[in-house]
Amino acid sequence: MSRTLLRGARVITMAPGRPDAERLDILVEEDRVAETGDHLDVSDAETIDVSGPR
């Protein structure tokens, strides 16, 4: 199974009670988002830092 962790992605949430945009980690398995969250602990995935300038 192909797993990729996008570290520090800028996510547009548009959810009530949350900021319009925030920085989160995104775990992608094959071609689907499997999990999102702050500082995900994933050891068996290729990690790509997409945080860019803050």
Side-chain angles (χ1 to χ4, degrees):
M1 176 185 303
S2 171
R3 292 168 51 104
T4 304
L5 179 65
L6 303 174
R7 182 77 68 194
R10 185 169 179 93
V11 176
I12 307 302
T13 60
M14 297 177 61
R18 296 193 70 135
D20 290 337
E22 55 190 303
R23 298 278 181 174
L24 296 173
D25 295 343
I26 302 172
L27 178 62
V28 178
E29 293 180 349
E30 298 299 331
D31 62 349
R32 297 185 185 266
V33 173
E35 188 175 355
T36 62
D38 291 324
H39 311 291
L40 294 180
D41 184 20
V42 180
S43 60
D44 62 340
E46 174 187 3
T47 301
I48 302 171
D49 182 354
V50 295
S51 61
R54 297 225 179 233

